[in-house]
Amino acid sequence: MKPIRKEPPTGVRPALSAKSLVKRFGGVAAVDDVTIDVGYGEVVGLIGPNGAGKTTLFDLIAGELKPTSGRIWLDGAAVESAPADSRLAHGLGRTFQIPRPFPGMTLIENVMLGAQGQSGERIWPNWIAPRQVAREERACRDKAMDLLAFVKLDRLAREPARILSGGERKLLELARALMAEPMLLLLDEPAAGVNPSLLEVILERIVEINRRGPAVLVIEHNMDVIVRLCVRVFVMAAGKLLCEGKPEAVVRDPRVIEAYLGGASA
Ligand SMILES: Nc1ncnc2c1ncn2[C@@H]1O[C@H](COP(=O)(O)OP(=O)(O)OP(=O)(O)O)[C@@H](O)[C@H]1O
Ligand SMILES: [Mg+2]
């Protein structure tokens, strides 16, 4: 596979900073004193063995879990106490390890759910300004259609999401997350279980998203994917940040090899 990543710009302010994050479940620290940052313009990887705490770290950043301690800034704003929906307003988008589309809804309806602050979502404007609501609804539908075309699923726009393969569901999630025009995207294993031809589409689209603006933090077990996408990688094991560096260097780091071979997650 040929590399498609690009070098990060220098001197940019971080899209995401997290400092000394801790999340305990009972006596177990799933995330244990983790400090990371992602700059505008970057695609950064997050790797580590099963159970390392990667998804839990995403849940903390996205506000789905409250940290036991630690700080989180999105675009410079402290958000560790803010609810999940306000983090969307701060420009955060995410996809899930297991995609969660509404199976009975069409693809276009699923993507439209990712929109933020549409008038139609509120009760009042529906009868104060119905024309404006109709206009916004149309614009929202057009945008959702454009995003479905962007992830190459537009031909299925009016089909129910239940007919999609696992890989197509990942692409649908990507389109939904882009609806709110995020400045930072958290992608949890976008390549897992995806067939090789769809994998190419997903990788290409991630690179194109980043080229258009948003920073990306991507969890992935497939090292070929990490090497192609990322200039910088964080490695977690057993809740802790093990090291950070270029993917080629990180995979040769004895601590990383030991974590994977030695089952540091156990
Ligand atoms: N809600 C929860 N309650 C209790 N323990 C949890 C909870 N969520 C996660 N854990 C534990 O935290 C640890 C980290 O889990 P997490 O899902 O973050 O790992 P991961 O690095 O994403 O793993 P994988 O690569 O398998 O997806 C695991 O030991 C897991 O069992
Ligand atoms: Mg996970």
Side-chain angles (χ1 to χ4, degrees):
M1 287 204 276
K2 66 178 191 313
I4 46 182
R5 69 194 194 187
K6 59 180 182 165
E7 293 297 321
T10 51
V12 290
R13 74 179 191 283
L16 164 73
S17 301
K19 192 161 188 297
S20 308
L21 276 181
V22 176
K23 180 63 189 179
R24 291 186 183 284
F25 295 112
V28 179
V31 172
D32 193 358
D33 194 20
V34 169
T35 295
I36 64 166
D37 65 285
V38 178
Y40 281 106
E42 281 192 294
V43 180
V44 175
L46 177 59
I47 65 169
N50 294 121
K54 305 179 298 294
T55 297
T56 306
L57 181 63
F58 270 21
D59 288 340
L60 296 176
I61 296 166
E64 267 138 61
L65 288 174
K66 202 172 152 21
T68 307
S69 59
R71 313 274 331 255
I72 303 166
W73 294 267
L74 289 175
D75 194 33
V79 296
E80 62 276 353
S81 309
D85 54 354
S86 89
R87 296 194 203 187
L88 296 181
H90 276 289
L92 184 75
R94 86 174 284 188
T95 65
F96 292 90
Q97 190 165 349
I98 316 271
R100 308 167 177 175
F102 286 95
M105 290 169 70
T106 64
L107 269 60
I108 198 157
E109 286 165 346
N110 267 282
V111 175
M112 287 170 75
L113 288 176
Q116 289 296 299
Q118 297 295 322
S119 304
E121 290 171 1
R122 302 186 291 265
I123 295 170
W124 286 94
N126 278 320
W127 47 282
I128 294 175
R131 242 173 295 173
Q132 185 192 333
V133 171
R135 212 170 29 241
E136 280 191 17
E137 161 96 16
R138 240 185 345 264
C140 180
R141 191 167 280 275
D142 289 349
K143 186 168 161 190
M145 198 63 198
D146 286 349
L147 286 170
L148 279 174
F150 176 71
V151 298
K152 305 188 177 175
L153 286 176
D154 47 327
R155 72 192 187 286
L156 300 173
R158 286 175 182 81
E159 300 293 335
R162 83 170 81 83
I163 71 160
L164 298 183
S165 69
E168 288 169 335
R169 281 172 195 226
K170 302 233 167 189
L171 283 164
L172 179 66
E173 280 242 304
L174 205 51
R176 183 192 43 74
L178 290 171
M179 224 17 221
E181 298 177 10
M183 57 92 193
L184 171 69
L185 257 184
L186 307 179
L187 304 178
D188 198 341
E189 300 196 22
V194 174
N195 74 46
S197 64
L198 220 46
L199 178 59
E200 277 310 309
V201 178
I202 290 177
L203 290 184
E204 240 179 56
R205 298 296 81 178
I206 294 171
V207 170
E208 181 57 21
I209 288 164
N210 178 246
R211 201 183 63 74
R212 294 185 190 191
V216 179
L217 179 60
V218 55
I219 297 174
E220 193 46 69
H221 285 292
N222 181 335
M223 278 310 289
D224 286 338
V225 168
I226 289 286
V227 168
R228 282 185 78 193
L229 286 177
C230 308
V231 171
R232 210 154 62 88
V233 188
F234 290 101
V235 186
M236 282 181 75
K240 290 192 186 301
L241 200 62
L242 212 54
C243 62
E244 177 208 342
K246 286 184 181 283
E248 299 83 351
V250 150
V251 292
R252 286 196 300 269
D253 189 312
R255 291 168 299 175
V256 176
I257 295 166
E258 166 64 23
Y260 275 91
L261 296 182
S265 61

